[in-house]
Amino acid sequence: MLTKQCARQVIQEIIHLYPEATPTMHYENPFQLLLAVILSAQATDESVAKVTPTLFERYPNPEAVIASSPEEIEPYIRSIGLYRNKARYIYQSSQQLLERFDGEVPHTRKELESLTGIGPKSANILLSVAFKEPAFAVDTHVTRVCKHHQIVEKNATPKDIEKRVCEVIPPELWGAAHQAMINFGREICHPRNPQCEHFPQLYACLENEQQK
């Protein structure tokens, strides 16, 4: 595993490659992002983007959701994997927003994770993207990039990865690092035949350490 200094340098180089990286999910308010995040579990952003315009139009707020039912939500998201579970999560989380938070998406990690369908990764996305709070979400792309570039050990869990990255770089870079690593993982650090060797600056610090 890289030293903190080298790990920081690698992450900063990835951010440098994607300085303008932004979320691909389309949303206009925290409630829409909440629904998109629930739908995104084990699904691509592209598949989510296909269903959200109609879904958001039909269900613009938690009140509209609970006036419906999970069964009525299902047809709007049928093309998304696990759509029955996700319809139920959307309904139950909307109930919880109205019962506990006056219909507003909460701003704290603990409160977000109390909502049905929202785990640590989803809570971090909402904190970082919707509320511009320092948070680092770990998905499959981030996991692959961090392990491939020895930022973490090969057996690191998502919690281990989040802790390590948050120790290595300052909070103001957490959101940028997350978005840049996603793009880097999609376009360069592929699961098969990664193209990372074309970016020698990512390995410069490691090579310097090995020469010492």
Side-chain angles (χ1 to χ4, degrees), residues 71-108:
E71 291 73 22
E72 291 178 82
I73 297 169
E74 287 179 8
Y76 292 90
I77 62 171
R78 193 179 298 275
S79 61
I80 302 288
L82 305 174
Y83 72 93
R84 288 193 177 91
N85 287 342
K86 291 175 182 179
R88 188 172 72 253
Y89 296 162
I90 288 171
Y91 187 84
Q92 292 176 352
S93 62
S94 295
Q95 279 185 315
Q96 293 157 356
L97 289 178
L98 291 167
E99 291 169 358
R100 303 177 195 167
F101 306 110
D102 297 321
E104 299 294 329
V105 178
H107 290 57
T108 71

PDB file of all heavy atoms in Angstrom, residues 71-108:
ATOM      1  N   GLU A  71     -47.058  -0.422  -5.655  1.00  0.00           N
ATOM      2  CA  GLU A  71     -47.492  -1.099  -6.869  1.00  0.00           C
ATOM      3  C   GLU A  71     -47.729  -0.100  -8.010  1.00  0.00           C
ATOM      4  O   GLU A  71     -47.488  -0.419  -9.180  1.00  0.00           O
ATOM      5  CB  GLU A  71     -48.772  -1.885  -6.602  1.00  0.00           C
ATOM      6  CG  GLU A  71     -48.591  -3.102  -5.700  1.00  0.00           C
ATOM      7  CD  GLU A  71     -48.374  -2.739  -4.232  1.00  0.00           C
ATOM      8  OE1 GLU A  71     -48.771  -1.616  -3.819  1.00  0.00           O
ATOM      9  OE2 GLU A  71     -47.792  -3.570  -3.505  1.00  0.00           O
ATOM     10  N   GLU A  72     -48.190   1.103  -7.677  1.00  0.00           N
ATOM     11  CA  GLU A  72     -48.408   2.116  -8.701  1.00  0.00           C
ATOM     12  C   GLU A  72     -47.094   2.737  -9.174  1.00  0.00           C
ATOM     13  O   GLU A  72     -47.002   3.235 -10.302  1.00  0.00           O
ATOM     14  CB  GLU A  72     -49.333   3.212  -8.161  1.00  0.00           C
ATOM     15  CG  GLU A  72     -50.758   2.763  -7.942  1.00  0.00           C
ATOM     16  CD  GLU A  72     -51.620   3.868  -7.364  1.00  0.00           C
ATOM     17  OE1 GLU A  72     -52.082   4.715  -8.152  1.00  0.00           O
ATOM     18  OE2 GLU A  72     -51.823   3.895  -6.132  1.00  0.00           O
ATOM     19  N   ILE A  73     -46.071   2.710  -8.315  1.00  0.00           N
ATOM     20  CA  ILE A  73     -44.760   3.256  -8.682  1.00  0.00           C
ATOM     21  C   ILE A  73     -44.017   2.308  -9.619  1.00  0.00           C
ATOM     22  O   ILE A  73     -43.265   2.743 -10.491  1.00  0.00           O
ATOM     23  CB  ILE A  73     -43.921   3.523  -7.412  1.00  0.00           C
ATOM     24  CG1 ILE A  73     -44.602   4.586  -6.546  1.00  0.00           C
ATOM     25  CG2 ILE A  73     -42.498   3.966  -7.767  1.00  0.00           C
ATOM     26  CD1 ILE A  73     -43.986   4.720  -5.157  1.00  0.00           C
ATOM     27  N   GLU A  74     -44.235   1.024  -9.449  1.00  0.00           N
ATOM     28  CA  GLU A  74     -43.464   0.010 -10.176  1.00  0.00           C
ATOM     29  C   GLU A  74     -43.405   0.217 -11.691  1.00  0.00           C
ATOM     30  O   GLU A  74     -42.322   0.101 -12.286  1.00  0.00           O
ATOM     31  CB  GLU A  74     -44.007  -1.386  -9.852  1.00  0.00           C
ATOM     32  CG  GLU A  74     -43.664  -1.867  -8.453  1.00  0.00           C
ATOM     33  CD  GLU A  74     -44.243  -3.245  -8.156  1.00  0.00           C
ATOM     34  OE1 GLU A  74     -44.779  -3.876  -9.104  1.00  0.00           O
ATOM     35  OE2 GLU A  74     -44.155  -3.685  -6.994  1.00  0.00           O
ATOM     36  N   PRO A  75     -44.529   0.511 -12.373  1.00  0.00           N
ATOM     37  CA  PRO A  75     -44.449   0.652 -13.838  1.00  0.00           C
ATOM     38  C   PRO A  75     -43.504   1.760 -14.304  1.00  0.00           C
ATOM     39  O   PRO A  75     -42.955   1.664 -15.405  1.00  0.00           O
ATOM     40  CB  PRO A  75     -45.898   0.965 -14.233  1.00  0.00           C
ATOM     41  CG  PRO A  75     -46.729   0.403 -13.130  1.00  0.00           C
ATOM     42  CD  PRO A  75     -45.916   0.603 -11.889  1.00  0.00           C
ATOM     43  N   TYR A  76     -43.305   2.766 -13.471  1.00  0.00           N
ATOM     44  CA  TYR A  76     -42.432   3.874 -13.858  1.00  0.00           C
ATOM     45  C   TYR A  76     -40.955   3.488 -13.822  1.00  0.00           C
ATOM     46  O   TYR A  76     -40.129   4.151 -14.455  1.00  0.00           O
ATOM     47  CB  TYR A  76     -42.656   5.072 -12.926  1.00  0.00           C
ATOM     48  CG  TYR A  76     -44.005   5.717 -13.091  1.00  0.00           C
ATOM     49  CD1 TYR A  76     -45.090   5.294 -12.336  1.00  0.00           C
ATOM     50  CD2 TYR A  76     -44.199   6.745 -14.009  1.00  0.00           C
ATOM     51  CE1 TYR A  76     -46.339   5.881 -12.483  1.00  0.00           C
ATOM     52  CE2 TYR A  76     -45.450   7.328 -14.172  1.00  0.00           C
ATOM     53  CZ  TYR A  76     -46.518   6.892 -13.408  1.00  0.00           C
ATOM     54  OH  TYR A  76     -47.755   7.474 -13.560  1.00  0.00           O
ATOM     55  N   ILE A  77     -40.629   2.444 -13.076  1.00  0.00           N
ATOM     56  CA  ILE A  77     -39.222   2.070 -12.893  1.00  0.00           C
ATOM     57  C   ILE A  77     -38.970   0.604 -13.266  1.00  0.00           C
ATOM     58  O   ILE A  77     -37.944   0.045 -12.898  1.00  0.00           O
ATOM     59  CB  ILE A  77     -38.764   2.345 -11.446  1.00  0.00           C
ATOM     60  CG1 ILE A  77     -39.566   1.506 -10.437  1.00  0.00           C
ATOM     61  CG2 ILE A  77     -38.884   3.819 -11.105  1.00  0.00           C
ATOM     62  CD1 ILE A  77     -39.023   1.576  -9.017  1.00  0.00           C
ATOM     63  N   ARG A  78     -39.870   0.013 -14.003  1.00  0.00           N
ATOM     64  CA  ARG A  78     -39.802  -1.426 -14.301  1.00  0.00           C
ATOM     65  C   ARG A  78     -38.514  -1.825 -15.012  1.00  0.00           C
ATOM     66  O   ARG A  78     -38.042  -2.953 -14.886  1.00  0.00           O
ATOM     67  CB  ARG A  78     -41.015  -1.848 -15.128  1.00  0.00           C
ATOM     68  CG  ARG A  78     -41.202  -3.351 -15.211  1.00  0.00           C
ATOM     69  CD  ARG A  78     -42.446  -3.697 -16.020  1.00  0.00           C
ATOM     70  NE  ARG A  78     -43.657  -3.172 -15.416  1.00  0.00           N
ATOM     71  CZ  ARG A  78     -44.342  -3.804 -14.458  1.00  0.00           C
ATOM     72  NH1 ARG A  78     -43.914  -4.971 -14.006  1.00  0.00           N
ATOM     73  NH2 ARG A  78     -45.436  -3.268 -13.967  1.00  0.00           N
ATOM     74  N   SER A  79     -37.925  -0.918 -15.757  1.00  0.00           N
ATOM     75  CA  SER A  79     -36.705  -1.252 -16.505  1.00  0.00           C
ATOM     76  C   SER A  79     -35.455  -1.255 -15.630  1.00  0.00           C
ATOM     77  O   SER A  79     -34.380  -1.651 -16.079  1.00  0.00           O
ATOM     78  CB  SER A  79     -36.506  -0.257 -17.654  1.00  0.00           C
ATOM     79  OG  SER A  79     -36.358   1.065 -17.162  1.00  0.00           O
ATOM     80  N   ILE A  80     -35.604  -0.829 -14.377  1.00  0.00           N
ATOM     81  CA  ILE A  80     -34.479  -0.789 -13.438  1.00  0.00           C
ATOM     82  C   ILE A  80     -34.427  -2.092 -12.649  1.00  0.00           C
ATOM     83  O   ILE A  80     -35.462  -2.615 -12.229  1.00  0.00           O
ATOM     84  CB  ILE A  80     -34.630   0.391 -12.449  1.00  0.00           C
ATOM     85  CG1 ILE A  80     -34.715   1.715 -13.196  1.00  0.00           C
ATOM     86  CG2 ILE A  80     -33.484   0.414 -11.445  1.00  0.00           C
ATOM     87  CD1 ILE A  80     -33.439   2.172 -13.812  1.00  0.00           C
ATOM     88  N   GLY A  81     -33.233  -2.618 -12.425  1.00  0.00           N
ATOM     89  CA  GLY A  81     -33.088  -3.829 -11.640  1.00  0.00           C
ATOM     90  C   GLY A  81     -33.649  -3.675 -10.233  1.00  0.00           C
ATOM     91  O   GLY A  81     -33.587  -2.584  -9.651  1.00  0.00           O
ATOM     92  N   LEU A  82     -34.234  -4.747  -9.709  1.00  0.00           N
ATOM     93  CA  LEU A  82     -34.815  -4.761  -8.356  1.00  0.00           C
ATOM     94  C   LEU A  82     -35.918  -3.710  -8.210  1.00  0.00           C
ATOM     95  O   LEU A  82     -36.084  -3.101  -7.154  1.00  0.00           O
ATOM     96  CB  LEU A  82     -33.725  -4.530  -7.306  1.00  0.00           C
ATOM     97  CG  LEU A  82     -32.522  -5.490  -7.342  1.00  0.00           C
ATOM     98  CD1 LEU A  82     -31.452  -5.051  -6.348  1.00  0.00           C
ATOM     99  CD2 LEU A  82     -32.972  -6.918  -7.037  1.00  0.00           C
ATOM    100  N   TYR A  83     -36.671  -3.507  -9.271  1.00  0.00           N
ATOM    101  CA  TYR A  83     -37.627  -2.385  -9.274  1.00  0.00           C
ATOM    102  C   TYR A  83     -38.718  -2.530  -8.212  1.00  0.00           C
ATOM    103  O   TYR A  83     -39.203  -1.528  -7.685  1.00  0.00           O
ATOM    104  CB  TYR A  83     -38.243  -2.208 -10.662  1.00  0.00           C
ATOM    105  CG  TYR A  83     -39.226  -3.278 -11.073  1.00  0.00           C
ATOM    106  CD1 TYR A  83     -40.591  -3.120 -10.839  1.00  0.00           C
ATOM    107  CD2 TYR A  83     -38.804  -4.439 -11.721  1.00  0.00           C
ATOM    108  CE1 TYR A  83     -41.499  -4.088 -11.224  1.00  0.00           C
ATOM    109  CE2 TYR A  83     -39.700  -5.412 -12.107  1.00  0.00           C
ATOM    110  CZ  TYR A  83     -41.043  -5.244 -11.858  1.00  0.00           C
ATOM    111  OH  TYR A  83     -41.944  -6.207 -12.237  1.00  0.00           O
ATOM    112  N   ARG A  84     -39.111  -3.746  -7.875  1.00  0.00           N
ATOM    113  CA  ARG A  84     -40.154  -3.903  -6.853  1.00  0.00           C
ATOM    114  C   ARG A  84     -39.640  -3.436  -5.486  1.00  0.00           C
ATOM    115  O   ARG A  84     -40.343  -2.719  -4.767  1.00  0.00           O
ATOM    116  CB  ARG A  84     -40.622  -5.359  -6.771  1.00  0.00           C
ATOM    117  CG  ARG A  84     -41.452  -5.813  -7.954  1.00  0.00           C
ATOM    118  CD  ARG A  84     -42.148  -7.133  -7.686  1.00  0.00           C
ATOM    119  NE  ARG A  84     -43.003  -7.523  -8.799  1.00  0.00           N
ATOM    120  CZ  ARG A  84     -42.627  -8.270  -9.825  1.00  0.00           C
ATOM    121  NH1 ARG A  84     -41.373  -8.736  -9.878  1.00  0.00           N
ATOM    122  NH2 ARG A  84     -43.464  -8.576 -10.794  1.00  0.00           N
ATOM    123  N   ASN A  85     -38.440  -3.856  -5.153  1.00  0.00           N
ATOM    124  CA  ASN A  85     -37.852  -3.400  -3.886  1.00  0.00           C
ATOM    125  C   ASN A  85     -37.685  -1.882  -3.880  1.00  0.00           C
ATOM    126  O   ASN A  85     -37.974  -1.215  -2.881  1.00  0.00           O
ATOM    127  CB  ASN A  85     -36.488  -4.055  -3.659  1.00  0.00           C
ATOM    128  CG  ASN A  85     -36.589  -5.513  -3.294  1.00  0.00           C
ATOM    129  OD1 ASN A  85     -37.649  -5.980  -2.882  1.00  0.00           O
ATOM    130  ND2 ASN A  85     -35.503  -6.242  -3.448  1.00  0.00           N
ATOM    131  N   LYS A  86     -37.232  -1.348  -4.996  1.00  0.00           N
ATOM    132  CA  LYS A  86     -36.959   0.088  -5.058  1.00  0.00           C
ATOM    133  C   LYS A  86     -38.250   0.904  -4.999  1.00  0.00           C
ATOM    134  O   LYS A  86     -38.271   1.995  -4.426  1.00  0.00           O
ATOM    135  CB  LYS A  86     -36.147   0.409  -6.306  1.00  0.00           C
ATOM    136  CG  LYS A  86     -34.734  -0.150  -6.217  1.00  0.00           C
ATOM    137  CD  LYS A  86     -33.930   0.034  -7.487  1.00  0.00           C
ATOM    138  CE  LYS A  86     -32.545  -0.582  -7.349  1.00  0.00           C
ATOM    139  NZ  LYS A  86     -31.728  -0.439  -8.577  1.00  0.00           N
ATOM    140  N   ALA A  87     -39.313   0.391  -5.580  1.00  0.00           N
ATOM    141  CA  ALA A  87     -40.612   1.070  -5.460  1.00  0.00           C
ATOM    142  C   ALA A  87     -41.037   1.130  -3.996  1.00  0.00           C
ATOM    143  O   ALA A  87     -41.557   2.151  -3.524  1.00  0.00           O
ATOM    144  CB  ALA A  87     -41.660   0.348  -6.304  1.00  0.00           C
ATOM    145  N   ARG A  88     -40.813   0.055  -3.302  1.00  0.00           N
ATOM    146  CA  ARG A  88     -41.144   0.023  -1.866  1.00  0.00           C
ATOM    147  C   ARG A  88     -40.253   0.987  -1.079  1.00  0.00           C
ATOM    148  O   ARG A  88     -40.724   1.697  -0.186  1.00  0.00           O
ATOM    149  CB  ARG A  88     -40.997  -1.400  -1.321  1.00  0.00           C
ATOM    150  CG  ARG A  88     -41.510  -1.568   0.102  1.00  0.00           C
ATOM    151  CD  ARG A  88     -41.516  -3.013   0.534  1.00  0.00           C
ATOM    152  NE  ARG A  88     -40.161  -3.521   0.771  1.00  0.00           N
ATOM    153  CZ  ARG A  88     -39.541  -4.366  -0.029  1.00  0.00           C
ATOM    154  NH1 ARG A  88     -40.121  -4.809  -1.132  1.00  0.00           N
ATOM    155  NH2 ARG A  88     -38.317  -4.783   0.244  1.00  0.00           N
ATOM    156  N   TYR A  89     -38.965   1.041  -1.427  1.00  0.00           N
ATOM    157  CA  TYR A  89     -38.061   1.964  -0.742  1.00  0.00           C
ATOM    158  C   TYR A  89     -38.488   3.418  -0.971  1.00  0.00           C
ATOM    159  O   TYR A  89     -38.445   4.240  -0.044  1.00  0.00           O
ATOM    160  CB  TYR A  89     -36.627   1.789  -1.251  1.00  0.00           C
ATOM    161  CG  TYR A  89     -35.995   0.448  -0.974  1.00  0.00           C
ATOM    162  CD1 TYR A  89     -34.874   0.026  -1.688  1.00  0.00           C
ATOM    163  CD2 TYR A  89     -36.515  -0.417  -0.020  1.00  0.00           C
ATOM    164  CE1 TYR A  89     -34.287  -1.206  -1.453  1.00  0.00           C
ATOM    165  CE2 TYR A  89     -35.937  -1.653   0.223  1.00  0.00           C
ATOM    166  CZ  TYR A  89     -34.825  -2.042  -0.499  1.00  0.00           C
ATOM    167  OH  TYR A  89     -34.244  -3.263  -0.258  1.00  0.00           O
ATOM    168  N   ILE A  90     -38.854   3.736  -2.202  1.00  0.00           N
ATOM    169  CA  ILE A  90     -39.297   5.100  -2.509  1.00  0.00           C
ATOM    170  C   ILE A  90     -40.526   5.452  -1.678  1.00  0.00           C
ATOM    171  O   ILE A  90     -40.617   6.553  -1.102  1.00  0.00           O
ATOM    172  CB  ILE A  90     -39.595   5.236  -4.015  1.00  0.00           C
ATOM    173  CG1 ILE A  90     -38.284   5.234  -4.812  1.00  0.00           C
ATOM    174  CG2 ILE A  90     -40.402   6.501  -4.313  1.00  0.00           C
ATOM    175  CD1 ILE A  90     -38.479   5.146  -6.320  1.00  0.00           C
ATOM    176  N   TYR A  91     -41.461   4.527  -1.596  1.00  0.00           N
ATOM    177  CA  TYR A  91     -42.685   4.780  -0.829  1.00  0.00           C
ATOM    178  C   TYR A  91     -42.381   4.929   0.657  1.00  0.00           C
ATOM    179  O   TYR A  91     -42.818   5.893   1.307  1.00  0.00           O
ATOM    180  CB  TYR A  91     -43.681   3.641  -1.054  1.00  0.00           C
ATOM    181  CG  TYR A  91     -45.029   3.904  -0.424  1.00  0.00           C
ATOM    182  CD1 TYR A  91     -45.985   4.670  -1.095  1.00  0.00           C
ATOM    183  CD2 TYR A  91     -45.340   3.407   0.836  1.00  0.00           C
ATOM    184  CE1 TYR A  91     -47.220   4.929  -0.526  1.00  0.00           C
ATOM    185  CE2 TYR A  91     -46.571   3.659   1.415  1.00  0.00           C
ATOM    186  CZ  TYR A  91     -47.502   4.422   0.730  1.00  0.00           C
ATOM    187  OH  TYR A  91     -48.726   4.690   1.313  1.00  0.00           O
ATOM    188  N   GLN A  92     -41.610   4.007   1.207  1.00  0.00           N
ATOM    189  CA  GLN A  92     -41.334   4.034   2.639  1.00  0.00           C
ATOM    190  C   GLN A  92     -40.476   5.230   3.037  1.00  0.00           C
ATOM    191  O   GLN A  92     -40.723   5.868   4.080  1.00  0.00           O
ATOM    192  CB  GLN A  92     -40.661   2.729   3.068  1.00  0.00           C
ATOM    193  CG  GLN A  92     -41.583   1.521   2.974  1.00  0.00           C
ATOM    194  CD  GLN A  92     -40.887   0.209   3.306  1.00  0.00           C
ATOM    195  OE1 GLN A  92     -39.661   0.158   3.463  1.00  0.00           O
ATOM    196  NE2 GLN A  92     -41.653  -0.856   3.393  1.00  0.00           N
ATOM    197  N   SER A  93     -39.481   5.567   2.234  1.00  0.00           N
ATOM    198  CA  SER A  93     -38.639   6.723   2.563  1.00  0.00           C
ATOM    199  C   SER A  93     -39.449   8.014   2.480  1.00  0.00           C
ATOM    200  O   SER A  93     -39.234   8.950   3.264  1.00  0.00           O
ATOM    201  CB  SER A  93     -37.411   6.785   1.651  1.00  0.00           C
ATOM    202  OG  SER A  93     -37.775   6.947   0.299  1.00  0.00           O
ATOM    203  N   SER A  94     -40.389   8.094   1.544  1.00  0.00           N
ATOM    204  CA  SER A  94     -41.250   9.275   1.450  1.00  0.00           C
ATOM    205  C   SER A  94     -42.139   9.391   2.689  1.00  0.00           C
ATOM    206  O   SER A  94     -42.344  10.499   3.218  1.00  0.00           O
ATOM    207  CB  SER A  94     -42.113   9.205   0.184  1.00  0.00           C
ATOM    208  OG  SER A  94     -41.316   9.259  -0.977  1.00  0.00           O
ATOM    209  N   GLN A  95     -42.659   8.275   3.157  1.00  0.00           N
ATOM    210  CA  GLN A  95     -43.410   8.275   4.411  1.00  0.00           C
ATOM    211  C   GLN A  95     -42.559   8.812   5.552  1.00  0.00           C
ATOM    212  O   GLN A  95     -43.002   9.642   6.356  1.00  0.00           O
ATOM    213  CB  GLN A  95     -43.867   6.848   4.753  1.00  0.00           C
ATOM    214  CG  GLN A  95     -45.104   6.370   4.037  1.00  0.00           C
ATOM    215  CD  GLN A  95     -45.529   5.005   4.556  1.00  0.00           C
ATOM    216  OE1 GLN A  95     -44.694   4.106   4.733  1.00  0.00           O
ATOM    217  NE2 GLN A  95     -46.807   4.827   4.806  1.00  0.00           N
ATOM    218  N   GLN A  96     -41.338   8.327   5.624  1.00  0.00           N
ATOM    219  CA  GLN A  96     -40.436   8.729   6.705  1.00  0.00           C
ATOM    220  C   GLN A  96     -40.083  10.211   6.632  1.00  0.00           C
ATOM    221  O   GLN A  96     -39.978  10.880   7.661  1.00  0.00           O
ATOM    222  CB  GLN A  96     -39.177   7.853   6.663  1.00  0.00           C
ATOM    223  CG  GLN A  96     -39.454   6.402   7.010  1.00  0.00           C
ATOM    224  CD  GLN A  96     -38.416   5.435   6.459  1.00  0.00           C
ATOM    225  OE1 GLN A  96     -37.496   5.825   5.731  1.00  0.00           O
ATOM    226  NE2 GLN A  96     -38.572   4.162   6.780  1.00  0.00           N
ATOM    227  N   LEU A  97     -39.912  10.732   5.414  1.00  0.00           N
ATOM    228  CA  LEU A  97     -39.635  12.165   5.261  1.00  0.00           C
ATOM    229  C   LEU A  97     -40.774  12.989   5.843  1.00  0.00           C
ATOM    230  O   LEU A  97     -40.547  14.000   6.527  1.00  0.00           O
ATOM    231  CB  LEU A  97     -39.434  12.514   3.791  1.00  0.00           C
ATOM    232  CG  LEU A  97     -38.152  12.022   3.116  1.00  0.00           C
ATOM    233  CD1 LEU A  97     -38.142  12.425   1.648  1.00  0.00           C
ATOM    234  CD2 LEU A  97     -36.913  12.560   3.812  1.00  0.00           C
ATOM    235  N   LEU A  98     -42.009  12.576   5.573  1.00  0.00           N
ATOM    236  CA  LEU A  98     -43.157  13.330   6.062  1.00  0.00           C
ATOM    237  C   LEU A  98     -43.358  13.153   7.562  1.00  0.00           C
ATOM    238  O   LEU A  98     -43.699  14.113   8.259  1.00  0.00           O
ATOM    239  CB  LEU A  98     -44.421  12.900   5.306  1.00  0.00           C
ATOM    240  CG  LEU A  98     -44.451  13.321   3.830  1.00  0.00           C
ATOM    241  CD1 LEU A  98     -45.557  12.603   3.085  1.00  0.00           C
ATOM    242  CD2 LEU A  98     -44.627  14.826   3.722  1.00  0.00           C
ATOM    243  N   GLU A  99     -43.105  11.949   8.049  1.00  0.00           N
ATOM    244  CA  GLU A  99     -43.340  11.677   9.464  1.00  0.00           C
ATOM    245  C   GLU A  99     -42.265  12.276  10.368  1.00  0.00           C
ATOM    246  O   GLU A  99     -42.555  12.727  11.477  1.00  0.00           O
ATOM    247  CB  GLU A  99     -43.403  10.165   9.700  1.00  0.00           C
ATOM    248  CG  GLU A  99     -44.635   9.496   9.087  1.00  0.00           C
ATOM    249  CD  GLU A  99     -44.531   7.983   9.106  1.00  0.00           C
ATOM    250  OE1 GLU A  99     -43.481   7.459   9.566  1.00  0.00           O
ATOM    251  OE2 GLU A  99     -45.487   7.329   8.657  1.00  0.00           O
ATOM    252  N   ARG A 100     -41.018  12.307   9.882  1.00  0.00           N
ATOM    253  CA  ARG A 100     -39.898  12.691  10.753  1.00  0.00           C
ATOM    254  C   ARG A 100     -39.268  14.032  10.401  1.00  0.00           C
ATOM    255  O   ARG A 100     -38.681  14.674  11.272  1.00  0.00           O
ATOM    256  CB  ARG A 100     -38.803  11.624  10.685  1.00  0.00           C
ATOM    257  CG  ARG A 100     -39.238  10.221  11.042  1.00  0.00           C
ATOM    258  CD  ARG A 100     -38.060   9.278  10.849  1.00  0.00           C
ATOM    259  NE  ARG A 100     -38.462   7.887  10.826  1.00  0.00           N
ATOM    260  CZ  ARG A 100     -37.656   6.903  10.420  1.00  0.00           C
ATOM    261  NH1 ARG A 100     -36.425   7.182  10.006  1.00  0.00           N
ATOM    262  NH2 ARG A 100     -38.079   5.654  10.426  1.00  0.00           N
ATOM    263  N   PHE A 101     -39.363  14.435   9.137  1.00  0.00           N
ATOM    264  CA  PHE A 101     -38.561  15.579   8.690  1.00  0.00           C
ATOM    265  C   PHE A 101     -39.377  16.638   7.951  1.00  0.00           C
ATOM    266  O   PHE A 101     -38.825  17.384   7.139  1.00  0.00           O
ATOM    267  CB  PHE A 101     -37.408  15.084   7.795  1.00  0.00           C
ATOM    268  CG  PHE A 101     -36.559  14.020   8.429  1.00  0.00           C
ATOM    269  CD1 PHE A 101     -36.600  12.710   7.961  1.00  0.00           C
ATOM    270  CD2 PHE A 101     -35.741  14.314   9.516  1.00  0.00           C
ATOM    271  CE1 PHE A 101     -35.808  11.719   8.549  1.00  0.00           C
ATOM    272  CE2 PHE A 101     -34.961  13.330  10.108  1.00  0.00           C
ATOM    273  CZ  PHE A 101     -34.995  12.036   9.628  1.00  0.00           C
ATOM    274  N   ASP A 102     -40.676  16.698   8.213  1.00  0.00           N
ATOM    275  CA  ASP A 102     -41.546  17.709   7.595  1.00  0.00           C
ATOM    276  C   ASP A 102     -41.455  17.694   6.071  1.00  0.00           C
ATOM    277  O   ASP A 102     -41.576  18.726   5.406  1.00  0.00           O
ATOM    278  CB  ASP A 102     -41.209  19.114   8.111  1.00  0.00           C
ATOM    279  CG  ASP A 102     -41.455  19.254   9.605  1.00  0.00           C
ATOM    280  OD1 ASP A 102     -42.463  18.695  10.085  1.00  0.00           O
ATOM    281  OD2 ASP A 102     -40.646  19.911  10.274  1.00  0.00           O
ATOM    282  N   GLY A 103     -41.226  16.522   5.510  1.00  0.00           N
ATOM    283  CA  GLY A 103     -41.200  16.380   4.068  1.00  0.00           C
ATOM    284  C   GLY A 103     -39.907  16.802   3.392  1.00  0.00           C
ATOM    285  O   GLY A 103     -39.803  16.749   2.166  1.00  0.00           O
ATOM    286  N   GLU A 104     -38.908  17.193   4.189  1.00  0.00           N
ATOM    287  CA  GLU A 104     -37.626  17.635   3.639  1.00  0.00           C
ATOM    288  C   GLU A 104     -36.566  16.542   3.777  1.00  0.00           C
ATOM    289  O   GLU A 104     -36.562  15.802   4.759  1.00  0.00           O
ATOM    290  CB  GLU A 104     -37.138  18.899   4.359  1.00  0.00           C
ATOM    291  CG  GLU A 104     -38.081  20.079   4.228  1.00  0.00           C
ATOM    292  CD  GLU A 104     -38.195  20.600   2.810  1.00  0.00           C
ATOM    293  OE1 GLU A 104     -37.197  20.505   2.060  1.00  0.00           O
ATOM    294  OE2 GLU A 104     -39.287  21.084   2.442  1.00  0.00           O
ATOM    295  N   VAL A 105     -35.680  16.453   2.816  1.00  0.00           N
ATOM    296  CA  VAL A 105     -34.562  15.509   2.910  1.00  0.00           C
ATOM    297  C   VAL A 105     -33.596  16.022   3.974  1.00  0.00           C
ATOM    298  O   VAL A 105     -33.158  17.178   3.909  1.00  0.00           O
ATOM    299  CB  VAL A 105     -33.835  15.367   1.561  1.00  0.00           C
ATOM    300  CG1 VAL A 105     -32.647  14.410   1.689  1.00  0.00           C
ATOM    301  CG2 VAL A 105     -34.799  14.875   0.482  1.00  0.00           C
ATOM    302  N   PRO A 106     -33.274  15.218   4.977  1.00  0.00           N
ATOM    303  CA  PRO A 106     -32.404  15.694   6.065  1.00  0.00           C
ATOM    304  C   PRO A 106     -30.971  15.922   5.613  1.00  0.00           C
ATOM    305  O   PRO A 106     -30.540  15.401   4.583  1.00  0.00           O
ATOM    306  CB  PRO A 106     -32.483  14.566   7.101  1.00  0.00           C
ATOM    307  CG  PRO A 106     -32.829  13.342   6.313  1.00  0.00           C
ATOM    308  CD  PRO A 106     -33.714  13.829   5.192  1.00  0.00           C
ATOM    309  N   HIS A 107     -30.233  16.686   6.449  1.00  0.00           N
ATOM    310  CA  HIS A 107     -28.882  17.114   6.071  1.00  0.00           C
ATOM    311  C   HIS A 107     -27.775  16.375   6.818  1.00  0.00           C
ATOM    312  O   HIS A 107     -26.605  16.704   6.629  1.00  0.00           O
ATOM    313  CB  HIS A 107     -28.707  18.611   6.354  1.00  0.00           C
ATOM    314  CG  HIS A 107     -29.481  19.507   5.450  1.00  0.00           C
ATOM    315  ND1 HIS A 107     -30.846  19.416   5.305  1.00  0.00           N
ATOM    316  CD2 HIS A 107     -29.077  20.515   4.634  1.00  0.00           C
ATOM    317  CE1 HIS A 107     -31.258  20.349   4.451  1.00  0.00           C
ATOM    318  NE2 HIS A 107     -30.207  21.021   4.026  1.00  0.00           N
ATOM    319  N   THR A 108     -28.096  15.411   7.657  1.00  0.00           N
ATOM    320  CA  THR A 108     -27.050  14.733   8.411  1.00  0.00           C
ATOM    321  C   THR A 108     -26.954  13.266   7.999  1.00  0.00           C
ATOM    322  O   THR A 108     -27.940  12.662   7.566  1.00  0.00           O
ATOM    323  CB  THR A 108     -27.301  14.801   9.931  1.00  0.00           C
ATOM    324  OG1 THR A 108     -28.417  13.957  10.269  1.00  0.00           O
ATOM    325  CG2 THR A 108     -27.580  16.232  10.378  1.00  0.00           C
TER     326      THR A 108
END
